[in-house]
C-alpha cells in the first residue's frame, strides 16, 4: 500500500495535504502559524550546529514511515479477510520515484533526496517540495472533490484589492486624525482601520470586505496571493481572517513565487480550468490573464494616490470611503455569483470538462452586448484602431466597434464634443460618452449610465 498513492488528500489541497504529511512525519503541524515561522527563523543558526541530531531525527522519521506502511498493509489485509499464516516471507522492494520531499527527505520512503525537482510549497510548510507528477495527481484529486461540493478556486490579491496600507511616516498632516480613529487589534473582526505600530504602518480594509469573504467562501476555495513579503502577508491575513476560516495555510507571498515580479498558478494546488483571480494589476499575471478579473484599485491613503501618479485628494483626506453596497467588492461579488451559477447550473452535464475561463469570457461579453461603438479623437493619428486597448476592451465586453458612423451605431466614444462624429451623435440622438464609460464598465462589470460620462467641448475640430 503506497502512502502517497492512497493518501487521504481529498479536500482543500494545502490543508488536507498538510494534515496527511503531519501524520506521516509525526510533526507537530505542517501548516505553519506566524509564531511557528518566527521560531523557525530564530532556530536557523542552532540547526547548523546540530547536524548529528538531524541525522538521528531523519533515521527516526524513516523508521516511522516504514512502521506506518507496515501497519497500513496489515490493516488492509485484515479488513479483506485475507490474513494468511506464512512460514516464508518474500519481500519485493520497489524503487521509489520520490513524489515529493519534506526537509530534504522523500515523504514516501523516508530516504534523503539528493536532487530535488518540482515546486516548493513553503507557504504550506517550510521545506516542502512536491514533484510535478504528484502535483498533477493532487490537483486532479482535489478538483473532483471540489466539484462535488460545488466550489471553484479564488485567488485574492491584497493591496488595492482587499485593502490599502501605508507607512506611518507617509501619512500627511491631513491624515494625522486617522491615528486616533484606528480600531483595536484585540478584536480585529469589528474594525476596518488598524495601526500596526510594530510594523510602522497603517492598514485600511476595503468596505464590504468581510461580507465579501464570507459569501465568496461558500462558492470558492480561497487563497491570498500578494507581492508583499511573507510577514506582511501573514499580518494582513490575520486582519482579514482572524478566525482562520477562509485561508488558513493558503497565504502566498512573493517569497513563495517561482518567477521574479510575477505571480503564477504553479504554486497553487488547483487546476487552472477552475481558478478565478481578483487582482488590480494585470501585468502580474502575464501567463494567466484569462483567469483574471481586473479590480478597480482601492486608494484610501494619499501615499497610494501618489504611488500611481494621481494628482487628487485621497479618500482619507476627503474623510470619505467607497460605498459598501455599490463599491467594487459588492459589484465583483455579483459577477462571481453569476460565474459560479453558469459553471454549475447552465452548461450541460459535463461538469468535469468545463473551464471557468470560458465562462468568464461569456459573462464579460454580456456587459456591453448590443452596443455599437465609434471612436472620435481617442486614438493617436494613424494608430491602428483595432490594436488600441480601449477597442480591445470594448470587444471583450461584448460591444461591436466600427471605424465610421452609420445608423446602427449606438455610442460615439470621444474626448471632444466638437468633432464631426460627436456632433453627428448629438444630431442623431446617439449616446456621446467619454472613454471612461468603457473603462468603468470594465472595472465594475456592468454597463454604466451614459449621462455620468459627458464629453467636454474643446476648440479643435476633427
Amino acid at each position: 500500500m503506497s502512502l502517497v498513492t492512497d493518501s487521504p488528500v481529498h479536500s482543500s489541497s494545502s490543508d488536507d495535504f498538510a494534515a496527511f504529511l503531519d501524520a506521516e512525519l509525526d510533526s507537530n503541524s505542517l501548516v505553519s502559524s506566524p509564531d511557528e515561522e518566527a521560531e523557525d527563523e530564530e532556530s536557523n543558526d542552532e540547526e547548523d550546529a546540530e547536524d548529528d541530531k538531524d541525522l538521528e531525527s531523519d533515521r527516526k522519521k524513516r523508521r516511522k514511515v516504514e512502521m506506518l506502511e507496515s501497519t497500513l498493509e496489515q490493516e488492509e489485509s485484515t479488513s479483506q479477510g485475507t490474513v494468511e499464516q506464512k512460514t516464508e516471507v518474500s519481500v519485493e522492494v520497489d524503487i521509489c520515484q520520490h513524489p515529493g520531499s519534506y526537509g530534504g527527505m522523500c515523504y514516501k520512503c523516508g530516504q534523503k533526496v539528493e536532487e530535488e525537482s518540482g515546486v516548493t510549497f513553503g507557504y504550506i510548510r517550510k521545506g516542502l517540495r512536491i514533484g510535478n507528477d504528484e502535483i498533477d495527481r493532487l490537483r486532479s484529486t482535489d478538483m473532483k472533490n471540489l466539484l462535488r461540493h460545488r466550489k471553484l478556486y479564488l485567488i485574492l490579491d491584497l493591496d488595492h484589492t482587499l485593502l490599502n496600507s501605508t507607512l506611518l511616516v507617509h501619512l500627511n498632516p491631513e491624515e494625522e486624525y486617522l491615528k486616533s480613529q484606528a480600531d483595536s487589534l484585540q478584536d480585529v473582526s469589528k474594525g476596518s482601520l488598524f495601526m500596526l505600530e510594530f510594523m510602522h504602518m497603517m492598514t485600511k480594509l476595503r468596505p464590504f470586505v468581510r461580507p465579501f469573504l464570507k459569501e465568496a467562501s461558500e462558492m470558492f476555495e480561497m487563497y491570498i496571493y500578494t507581492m508583499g513579503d511573507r510577514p506582511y502577508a501573514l499580518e494582513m491575513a490575520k486582519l482579514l481572517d482572524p478566525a482562520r476560516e477562509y485561508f488558513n495555510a493558503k497565504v502566498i507571498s512573493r517569497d513563495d513565487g517561482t518567477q521574479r515580479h510575477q505571480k503564477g498558478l504553479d504554486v497553487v494546488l488547483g487546476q487552472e480550468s477552475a481558478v478565478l483571480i481578483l487582482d488590480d494589476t494585470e501585468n502580474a499575471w502575464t501567463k494567466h490573464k484569462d483567469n483574471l478579473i481586473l479590480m478597480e484599485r482601492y486608494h484610501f491613503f494619499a501615499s497610494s494616490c501618489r504611488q500611481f501618479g494621481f494628482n487628487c485628494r485621497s479618500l482619507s483626506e476627503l474623510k470619505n470611503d467607497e460605498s459598501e453596497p455599490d463599491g467594487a467588492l459588492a459589484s465583483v461579488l455579483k459577477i462571481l455569483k453569476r460565474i459560479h451559477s453558469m459553471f454549475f447550473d447552465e452548461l450541460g452535464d459535463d461538469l468535469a470538462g468545463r473551464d471557468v475561463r470560458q465562462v468568464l469570457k461569456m459573462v464579460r461579453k454580456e456587459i456591453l452586448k448590443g452596443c455599437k461603438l465609434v471612436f472620435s479623437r481617442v486614438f493617436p493619428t494613424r494608430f491602428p484602431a483595432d490594436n488600441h486597448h480601449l477597442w480591445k476592451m470594448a470587444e471583450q465586453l461584448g460591444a461591436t466597434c466600427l471605424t465610421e458612423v452609420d445608423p446602427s451605431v449606438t455610442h460615439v466614444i470621444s474626448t471632444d464634443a466638437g468633432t464631426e462624429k460627436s456632433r453627428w451623435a448629438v444630431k442623431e440622438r446617439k449616446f456621446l460618452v467619454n472613454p471612461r464609460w468603457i473603462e468603468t464598465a470594465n472595472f465594475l462589470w456592468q454597463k454604466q449610465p451614459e449621462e455620468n460620462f459627458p464629453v467636454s467641448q474643446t476648440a479643435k475640430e476633427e
Side-chain angles (χ1 to χ4, degrees):
M1 185 178 189
S2 166
L3 289 179
V4 173
T5 303
D6 300 314
S7 66
V9 183
H10 61 276
S11 181
S12 164
S13 296
S14 57
D15 297 335
D16 287 356
F17 188 60
F20 167 62
L21 284 183
D22 276 352
E24 285 197 14
L25 301 179
D26 195 27
S27 62
N28 291 330
S29 171
L30 185 67
V31 181
S32 301
S33 68
D35 293 339
E36 289 171 332
E37 294 201 357
E39 291 173 4
D40 286 342
E41 296 296 330
E42 293 172 0
S43 63
N44 283 342
D45 295 337
E46 297 176 8
E47 289 175 358
D48 293 339
E50 296 182 355
D51 290 340
D52 293 338
K53 291 183 180 179
D54 287 344
L55 290 172
E56 179 60 26
S57 174
D58 292 345
R59 294 189 193 99
K60 289 180 179 179
K61 288 178 180 178
R62 286 198 293 272
R63 286 198 294 271
K64 288 174 183 176
V65 173
E66 290 165 0
M67 290 172 64
L68 180 56
E69 280 193 319
S70 175
T71 301
L72 290 172
E73 286 175 352
Q74 291 178 18
E75 290 176 354
E76 182 183 61
S77 177
T78 302
S79 66
Q80 295 172 352
T82 58
V83 178
E84 301 176 1
Q85 297 293 329
K86 296 183 180 180
T87 56
E88 295 182 1
V89 178
S90 174
V91 179
E92 180 179 345
V93 179
D94 294 328
I95 298 176
C96 180
Q97 298 301 313
H98 304 323
S101 61
Y102 171 67
M105 280 176 31
C106 171
Y107 57 68
K108 178 180 180 181
C109 68
Q111 296 179 3
K112 280 282 188 182
V113 179
E114 301 298 334
E115 296 184 7
E116 295 182 305
S117 61
V119 179
T120 300
F121 287 82
Y123 67 92
I124 298 177
R125 179 66 175 181
K126 186 178 178 180
L128 175 63
R129 191 177 186 90
I130 307 176
N132 293 327
D133 289 343
E134 181 66 0
I135 290 173
D136 291 341
R137 190 191 71 80
L138 290 170
R139 285 176 175 160
S140 178
T141 302
D142 196 53
M143 180 70 173
K144 292 175 183 177
N145 180 69
L146 220 58
L147 292 180
R148 282 197 301 270
H149 289 83
R150 291 175 59 86
K151 281 193 171 187
L152 298 169
Y153 303 95
L154 182 62
I155 313 299
L156 297 167
D157 174 52
L158 285 178
D159 295 285
H160 306 109
T161 298
L162 298 182
L163 49 82
N164 192 201
S165 295
T166 187
L167 292 175
L168 293 177
V169 295
H170 290 163
L171 291 174
N172 65 30
E174 288 187 78
E175 296 176 301
E176 284 294 318
Y177 76 95
L178 294 172
K179 292 181 179 179
S180 64
Q181 294 188 2
D183 295 302
S184 172
L185 291 174
Q186 299 303 311
D187 185 2
V188 299
S189 64
K190 295 181 180 178
S192 65
L193 178 66
F194 302 100
M195 187 159 61
L196 307 171
E197 294 189 80
F198 62 98
M199 298 182 74
H200 310 291
M201 63 180 295
M202 180 173 281
T203 293
K204 173 66 173 63
L205 303 188
R206 196 167 200 166
F208 196 70
V209 68
R210 297 201 191 280
F212 171 84
L213 292 175
K214 185 177 186 301
E215 293 193 48
S217 69
E218 297 172 1
M219 301 180 288
F220 299 92
E221 190 74 22
M222 300 190 299
Y223 286 74
I224 284 174
Y225 199 147
T226 177
M227 293 303 286
D229 61 24
R230 186 149 187 79
Y232 172 76
L234 292 172
E235 288 302 325
M236 295 305 102
K238 284 182 184 178
L239 298 180
L240 292 165
D241 183 20
R244 301 189 71 171
E245 300 174 87
Y246 308 131
F247 306 113
N248 201 9
K250 301 183 291 294
V251 179
I252 306 172
S253 68
R254 70 182 179 208
D255 309 318
D256 304 305
T258 58
Q259 296 182 61
R260 189 174 177 82
H261 304 309
Q262 280 289 300
K263 297 178 180 180
L265 296 180
D266 54 343
V267 293
V268 175
L269 286 174
Q271 290 195 8
E272 291 183 24
S273 61
V275 174
L276 290 174
I277 302 165
L278 290 189
D279 203 314
D280 68 283
T281 306
E282 185 177 22
N283 292 336
W285 296 96
T286 54
K287 293 184 178 180
H288 308 287
K289 289 186 178 181
D290 289 342
N291 301 80
L292 176 65
I293 297 176
L294 193 62
M295 291 288 295
E296 182 179 12
R297 287 194 175 108
Y298 181 49
H299 297 293
F300 182 77
F301 297 106
S303 62
S304 180
C305 293
R306 293 195 301 269
Q307 176 187 348
F308 288 89
F310 295 130
N311 185 22
C312 61
R313 288 167 62 79
S314 67
L315 291 169
S316 61
E317 291 171 312
L318 295 170
K319 298 185 178 180
N320 201 351
D321 210 343
E322 282 186 356
S323 164
E324 284 222 0
D326 302 317
L329 287 178
S331 297
V332 82
L333 181 61
K334 295 175 185 176
I335 300 303
L336 293 176
K337 289 180 177 180
R338 175 73 179 125
I339 294 170
H340 184 273
S341 176
M342 286 185 66
F343 187 93
F344 286 101
D345 301 324
E346 301 178 24
L347 297 178
D349 299 325
D350 184 21
L351 187 61
R354 293 176 198 171
D355 193 322
V356 76
R357 292 168 291 193
Q358 297 303 316
V359 179
L360 186 58
K361 288 180 180 179
M362 293 167 62
V363 172
R364 193 180 183 88
K365 280 188 173 293
E366 294 177 354
I367 298 171
L368 295 183
K369 183 179 180 180
C371 297
K372 289 192 176 181
L373 316 182
V374 166
F375 295 85
S376 178
R377 198 164 285 165
V378 173
F379 312 139
T381 305
R382 298 196 180 110
F383 188 92
D386 56 355
N387 278 339
H388 194 274
H389 77 279
L390 278 176
W391 182 293
K392 292 181 178 180
M393 184 183 292
E395 288 187 328
Q396 290 170 349
L397 296 174
T400 301
C401 298
L402 306 174
T403 56
E404 298 296 335
V405 297
D406 66 39
S408 68
V409 170
T410 60
H411 295 72
V412 172
I413 315 298
S414 179
T415 58
D416 181 0
T419 68
E420 182 180 345
K421 290 173 182 174
S422 296
R423 293 196 301 269
W424 174 88
V426 174
K427 179 183 177 181
E428 298 297 324
R429 301 195 178 200
K430 307 293 185 178
F431 290 113
L432 177 63
V433 294
N434 69 54
R436 289 193 301 108
W437 179 75
I438 298 175
E439 295 171 334
T440 306
N442 182 60
F443 278 127
L444 298 181
W445 284 72
Q446 60 185 1
K447 185 169 173 283
Q448 298 297 298
E450 285 84 358
E451 60 270 21
N452 293 344
F453 299 87
V455 180
S456 60
Q457 181 86 37
T458 67
K460 292 183 179 180
E461 290 291 327
E462 185 174 38

